[in-house]
Amino acid sequence: AGKWELCSRRIHYTHDVPSMLPIHRDLVQAGYRALIFSGDHDMCVPHTGSEAWVDSMGPPEGPLGIREAWRPWMVNAQVAGYVKSYADTRSVTAKGTLSFATVKGAGHTVPEYKPEEALHMFRSFINDRLL
C-alpha cells in the first residue's frame, strides 16, 4: 500500500464520461437527493465551476426548479458558507433535490480544513434538513 500521501498520481483512469449532468438530472428526477459542496478557497476545483454546472440544472435552461435561493448557512451563529438548492418541480411526489454549498475558508479537502462545518453539513444532509 505504501505511505499515505494527500494527493497521489498512483491512480490511473480513462476519462470516458463526457458529462455527469444527465446522471445528476436523472437521479434527482427519480427522487434522490444530492449535495455538491466546495471549499471557497479550493484552488484545485474552484467553487465557481461547481456552482456553474449545478446552476445549469436550474431555470431557465435546466429541468429543475429553484427550491431554495442562495443564502448563508450557519454554524455556531457564524456564516459557514452559502447554499442553494433545486428540485424537480414538475413532480408533486418526487422528493429529489440537488443542493450546492460552499464552505467558507475551506480548501479542496473540506473536512480537513473545516471539520466542524463539514460534519454539520453532512449531518444536515443525512437527516434531510436544510443547512
Side-chain angles (χ1 to χ4, degrees), residues 57-130:
M57 300 290 285
E61 301 88 20
L64 305 178
I66 295 172
R67 175 184 179 223
E68 182 182 35
W70 191 244
R71 65 162 180 82
W73 62 279
M74 314 292 276
V75 172
N76 296 326
Q78 296 291 313
V79 173
Y82 292 85
V83 64
K84 65 173 88 172
S85 64
Y86 297 96
D88 186 358
T89 55
R90 298 173 299 174
S91 170
V92 293
T93 57
K95 300 205 184 289
T97 58
L98 176 62
S99 300
F100 173 71
T102 63
V103 182
K104 186 177 171 189
H108 187 65
T109 50
V110 170
E112 179 182 17
Y113 288 91
K114 294 290 185 170
E116 184 176 9
E117 291 84 346
L119 182 59
H120 177 86
M121 183 173 53
F122 176 74
R123 284 182 173 156
S124 296
F125 179 74
I126 291 299
N127 292 306
D128 199 14
R129 291 191 315 254
L130 297 176

Side-chain angles (χ1 to χ4, degrees), residues 24-36:
H24 281 286
R25 180 201 61 228
D26 293 348
L27 290 172
V28 170
Q29 290 178 332
Y32 292 96
R33 296 180 305 116
L35 171 63
I36 310 301

